[in-house]
Amino acid sequence: MDISKEDVKHVAKLARLEFSQEEIEDFTQKFASVIEYVEKLKEVDVEGIEPTYHVHPIKNVMREDKVGKSMDRDKVLSNAPDKETGFFKIPNVLD
């Protein structure tokens, strides 16, 4: 599969990135080498090999959910730059 400069421009547009002509040429080569490597991986015989999702065996360590002593609300809010009705007040992220 060949990667064209137009492919790189399209991906950049989707990612809302702007590249110079030099960067577009550089990424075209880099993307092409990634695709080439993936194509090589398709040639590997993996019949009978279990998928590896993580290199280390992982299990979720859960603890019992217990009610404990909380910090004093006034003490917690004492250094807050802005607070309202007993809560931290933060600026709107979305308008």
Side-chain angles (χ1 to χ4, degrees):
M1 174 181 194
D2 291 330
I3 301 294
S4 69
K5 291 179 185 179
E6 295 306 314
D7 293 330
V8 173
K9 289 177 185 177
H10 180 69
V11 171
K13 182 179 177 183
L14 292 174
R16 297 185 179 172
L17 298 172
E18 291 184 23
F19 294 137
S20 68
Q21 281 302 107
E22 183 179 290
E23 289 171 318
I24 289 172
E25 291 176 21
D26 183 45
F27 278 110
T28 302
Q29 293 172 357
K30 288 178 180 177
F31 287 164
S33 67
V34 169
I35 297 297
E36 182 182 321
Y37 183 73
V38 170
E39 293 298 323
K40 283 183 183 179
L41 290 177
K42 288 181 180 179
E43 298 172 9
V44 176
D45 180 24
V46 293
E47 188 68 33
I49 298 175
E50 288 289 319
T52 303
Y53 301 106
H54 202 282
V55 294
H56 300 290
I58 293 180
K59 65 178 186 174
N60 198 359
V61 180
M62 304 292 277
R63 64 173 172 78
E64 189 177 335
D65 194 12
K66 297 179 185 176
V67 176
K69 185 177 178 187
S70 297
M71 295 180 70
D72 179 61
R73 181 184 298 213
D74 293 330
K75 185 175 181 178
V76 170
L77 293 171
S78 66
N79 289 323
D82 201 4
K83 52 192 168 247
E84 184 177 293
T85 63
F87 297 97
F88 292 101
K89 186 173 179 182
I90 60 171
N92 287 339
V93 177
L94 303 173
D95 290 323

